[in-house]
Amino acid sequence: MKIRSATPDDDEAIWAILKPAIAAGETFTADPEGGREGAFAYWRPAGARNFVAEVEGKVLGTSYLRPNQKGGGAHVCNAGYCTAPEARGQGIARALLAHSLEEARRRGFRAMQYNFVVATNTRAIDTWERAGFEIVGRLPGAFRHPKQGFVDALVMYKDLT
């Protein structure tokens, strides 16, 4: 697997990965009706760098890394990950997570924070906890899940120093 910075040539592959995840409305806060433009606005917030994970030349995952806040909070970063449906369970997200932690340290971030982890996304939560993230906050009923109704969102944090 190769993880590299995304280029404009990767846009179709990134869209193919994001589209089903955002349309499902179960894990991301992006508007499921926002289409490609909305998805890219969500996945490429100000200050973000995008990456892709390739296996045998095929893009199977994507991530972003950005400062979580400006000014006095800019030393903490935020990241997001999405895997192609056909590649789930193959370690793509774990590899993107490891890459983002390395990249965050390289860029001088002192911590990584996930601001809004949907509590029903147990597979991701388990992956992040195994990587040393802690649940530091719970937002009761903060996410409107399309199948389960209002569910909690978690704030997860990892010190990088």
Side-chain angles (χ1 to χ4, degrees), residues 102-124:
E102 290 172 19
E103 182 71 12
R105 287 185 179 103
R106 188 186 71 71
R107 292 177 56 190
F109 288 110
R110 296 180 52 82
M112 184 177 287
Q113 179 176 317
Y114 302 137
N115 301 316
F116 203 93
V117 180
V118 179
T120 56
N121 193 357
T122 56
R123 196 165 165 189

Side-chain angles (χ1 to χ4, degrees), residues 26-146:
E26 296 179 357
T27 56
F28 295 121
T29 58
D31 180 358
E33 304 297 322
R36 181 183 170 122
E37 184 177 327
F40 279 112
Y42 175 80
W43 205 248
R44 295 177 175 157
R49 289 207 38 215
N50 284 143
F51 300 92
V52 293
E54 287 181 323
V55 176
E56 297 177 2
K58 181 172 177 157
V59 174
L60 295 176
T62 181
S63 66
Y64 68 81
L65 180 68
R66 69 176 181 96
N68 194 44
Q69 301 293 330
K70 296 177 183 175
H75 61 283
V76 177
C77 65
N78 175 256
Y81 316 94
C82 195
T83 302
E86 70 273 15
R88 291 194 181 125
Q90 296 178 22
I92 304 292
R94 281 191 313 274
L96 286 165
L97 167 60
H99 174 266
S100 70
L101 291 170
E102 290 172 19
E103 182 71 12
R105 287 185 179 103
R106 188 186 71 71
R107 292 177 56 190
F109 288 110
R110 296 180 52 82
M112 184 177 287
Q113 179 176 317
Y114 302 137
N115 301 316
F116 203 93
V117 180
V118 179
T120 56
N121 193 357
T122 56
R123 196 165 165 189
I125 293 166
D126 180 58
T127 298
W128 297 332
E129 286 182 324
R130 281 186 277 124
F133 283 82
E134 295 179 56
I135 296 170
V136 297
R138 180 176 291 270
L139 309 169
F143 184 77
R144 188 178 61 240
H145 193 283

